[in-house]
């Protein structure tokens, strides 16, 4: 027989089922609204750094720099950038990242994949960044076709789950997914759009950078196609997926796979079964805790020391995006712009 307390509870629920249903619907709507709000805020923050204040600075519609037949895959060994939001008006840092990579790799295709671009459209939006970047013959700006990218990989079914769009960190998680699939399918180099490239990265094969505190970061990846390490990353991405923990599919993913790959409990500058963990100075010379140093004046000696030891500088856009950069100035970041993305720097000075 049903205990009396459970019997009373069931009667209460039945007598108030309309009210309970109303409360449940209200809670679900509130959760959906909050999720959409935070995704919108995060998207705007990630793309806000040094964006152009003038709509009049937009350039006329320009063709893709190197038109490709429909469905033509990127060349193997390319340098890849990915924009998983719908935005099509990137800012100065985005422009500098791609420009600096194009200058450092003149013989290599630099492929920029943007989700907001219309597939099959032969022209780019009216914005100065596209005109500037298309002046580099090795830069290709293409639509990001997520179903096509993920097809034939463990992430295909993961991406197609209908409720995926409501997850709180969807945009950064999509970026985490894209980079490992690009490395698996095509190999080459992946960079976040808040890097300034100082010199050619192609000798850093099958490697990632240590950001500090025993943590690897996937903002820079360099792998040969179909590498076993990347395959393990794809499988772990799906099998141990957690949408509620920030960075679980990003730094957390590459860190735990590397510790299994070696195996090791402590990550330091090392090479293990052909995969390298690079010292922080190589691609993360400014620790995220010290990101404000980018906006402080740097002497010629400090700058030269950085250039001698590092291949790229990560700007930590999520932390630094709202900080004003004076142009021109002796700030470290301003000097990096001036030297490694001079066309973007000229546009900044103009604005």
């Amino acid at each position: 027989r049903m205990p009396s307390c459970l019997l009373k509870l069931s009667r209460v629920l039945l007598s108030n089922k309309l009210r309970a249903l109303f409360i449940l619907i209200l809670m679900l709507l509130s959760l959906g609204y909050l999720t959409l709000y935070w995704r919108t805020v995060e998207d705007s923050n990630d793309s806000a750094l040094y964006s152009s204040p003038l709509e009049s600075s937009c350039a006329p519609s320009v063709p893709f720099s190197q038109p490709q037949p429909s469905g033509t895959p990127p060349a193997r060994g390319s340098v890849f950038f990915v924009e998983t939001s719908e935005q099509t008006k990137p800012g100065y840092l985005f422009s500098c990242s791609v420009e600096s990579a194009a200058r450092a790799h003149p013989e290599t295709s630099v492929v920029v994949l943007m989700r907001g671009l219309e597939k099959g459209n032969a022209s780019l939006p009216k914005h100065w960044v596209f005109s500037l970047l298309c002046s580099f013959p090795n830069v290709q700006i293409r639509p990001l076709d997520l179903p096509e990218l993920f097809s034939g990989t463990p992430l295909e079914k993961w991406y197609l789950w209908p409720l995926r769009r409501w997850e709180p960190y969807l945009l950064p998680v999509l970026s985490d997914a894209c980079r490992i699939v690009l490395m698996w399918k095509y190999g080459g180099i992946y960079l976040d759009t808040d890097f300034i490239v100082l010199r050619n990265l192609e000798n850093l094969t099958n490697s990632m950078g240590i950001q500090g505190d025993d943590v690897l970061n996937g903002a820079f990846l360099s792998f040969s196609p179909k590498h076993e390490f990347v395959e393990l990353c794809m499988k772990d991405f799906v099998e141990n997926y957690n949408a509620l923990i920030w960075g679980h599919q990003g730094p957390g993913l590459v860190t735990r796979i590397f510790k299994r790959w070696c195996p090791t409990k402590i990550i330091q500058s090392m090479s293990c079964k052909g995969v390298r963990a690079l010292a922080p100075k190589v691609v993360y010379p400014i620790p995220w805790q010290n990101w404000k140093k980018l906006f402080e004046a740097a002497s010629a000696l400090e700058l030269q020391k950085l250039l001698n030891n590092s291949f790229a500088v990560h700007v930590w856009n999520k932390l630094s995006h709202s900080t004003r950069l004076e142009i021109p100035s002796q700030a470290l970041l301003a000097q990096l712009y001036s030297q490694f993305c001079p066309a973007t720097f000229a546009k900044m000075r103009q604005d």
Side-chain angles (χ1 to χ4, degrees):
R1 294 178 61 185
M2 182 181 293
S4 59
C5 59
L6 292 179
L7 185 60
K8 289 179 181 179
L9 179 61
S10 63
R11 287 173 180 170
V12 170
L13 290 175
L14 287 173
S15 62
N16 294 277
K17 59 184 179 182
L18 290 178
R19 183 180 299 176
L21 181 61
F22 174 77
I23 293 173
L24 179 61
I25 293 173
L26 185 62
M27 290 174 64
L28 289 173
L29 289 174
S30 300
L31 179 62
Y33 171 80
L34 288 172
T35 301
L36 183 61
Y37 170 78
W38 285 114
R39 281 177 54 192
T40 304
V41 169
E42 186 174 76
D43 184 15
S44 63
N45 283 348
D46 284 349
S47 62
L49 183 59
Y50 321 136
S51 58
S52 174
L54 300 176
E55 181 64 28
S56 60
S57 67
C58 294
S61 179
V62 294
F64 287 114
S65 50
Q66 292 187 4
Q68 300 287 329
S70 179
T72 301
R76 287 194 169 193
S78 298
V79 178
F80 290 97
F81 292 92
V82 174
E83 176 56 66
T84 54
S85 76
E86 300 285 349
Q87 69 106 350
T88 55
K89 293 184 178 180
Y92 300 118
L93 182 55
F94 180 105
S95 178
C96 184
S97 295
V98 179
E99 179 186 346
S100 62
R103 292 180 182 276
H105 306 84
E107 305 301 322
T108 303
S109 294
V110 177
V111 180
V112 184
L113 299 170
M114 301 187 70
R115 191 179 175 195
L117 296 181
E118 183 180 349
K119 186 177 179 182
N121 194 345
S123 62
L124 292 167
K126 297 179 180 179
H127 194 266
W128 66 267
V129 169
F130 299 120
S131 295
L132 186 153
L133 295 179
C134 286
S135 67
F136 293 90
N138 58 330
V139 172
Q140 301 175 18
I141 303 176
R142 298 176 168 215
L144 174 60
D145 187 338
L146 290 172
E148 173 62 26
L149 177 62
F150 295 142
S151 67
T153 74
L155 281 79
E156 184 173 10
K157 290 183 179 179
W158 166 85
Y159 175 70
L160 294 177
W161 187 55
L163 299 183
R164 186 73 59 211
R165 59 182 298 196
W166 298 109
E167 293 178 354
Y169 305 123
L170 180 61
L171 291 181
V173 168
L174 278 176
S175 178
D176 294 331
C178 289
R179 67 191 68 183
I180 60 174
V181 172
L182 285 167
M183 292 296 95
W184 166 251
K185 284 191 168 184
Y186 308 112
I189 296 165
Y190 167 84
L191 292 166
D192 275 0
T193 54
D194 56 351
F195 264 107
I196 298 178
V197 181
L198 311 183
R199 47 185 161 143
N200 193 290
L201 300 163
E202 290 177 324
N203 287 333
L204 304 179
T205 311
N206 299 330
S207 61
M208 301 157 289
I210 302 171
Q211 74 168 35
D213 300 325
D214 193 36
V215 175
L216 289 165
N217 194 315
F220 159 80
L221 295 172
S222 176
F223 280 93
S224 53
K226 303 295 190 293
H227 196 284
E228 183 184 353
F229 183 92
V230 183
E231 183 178 7
L232 292 174
C233 287
M234 290 194 299
K235 290 179 178 178
D236 186 276
F237 187 102
V238 176
E239 293 171 0
N240 297 305
Y241 185 72
N242 190 326
L244 301 180
I245 300 178
W246 171 265
H248 184 74
Q249 321 307 136
L253 173 67
V254 293
T255 299
R256 61 180 176 265
I257 295 300
F258 188 83
K259 285 185 173 182
R260 256 187 267 157
W261 178 263
C262 282
T264 183
K265 292 183 178 179
I266 303 296
I267 297 178
Q268 53 190 343
S269 178
M270 60 195 298
S271 179
C272 190
K273 292 191 287 187
V275 177
R276 289 186 286 175
L278 303 172
K281 66 181 180 180
V282 179
V283 288
Y284 304 113
I286 309 297
W288 67 266
Q289 301 94 329
N290 298 337
W291 66 267
K292 291 183 179 179
K293 184 177 178 64
L294 291 160
F295 298 86
E296 298 172 359
S299 67
L301 184 61
E302 289 175 309
L303 181 61
Q304 192 57 48
K305 183 179 178 181
L306 177 70
L307 302 185
N308 288 341
N309 296 324
S310 303
F311 284 73
V313 176
H314 195 231
V315 178
W316 309 107
N317 181 36
K318 195 163 186 66
L319 298 170
S320 64
H321 69 268
S322 61
T323 305
R324 180 176 176 81
L325 176 65
E326 295 294 336
I327 295 293
S329 73
Q330 290 304 304
L332 174 58
L333 186 55
Q335 294 191 61
L336 293 176
Y337 270 88
S338 174
Q339 187 165 342
F340 296 99
C341 53
T344 301
F345 184 73
K347 175 61 179 172
M348 295 173 76
R349 295 190 64 169
Q350 174 187 323
D351 290 344

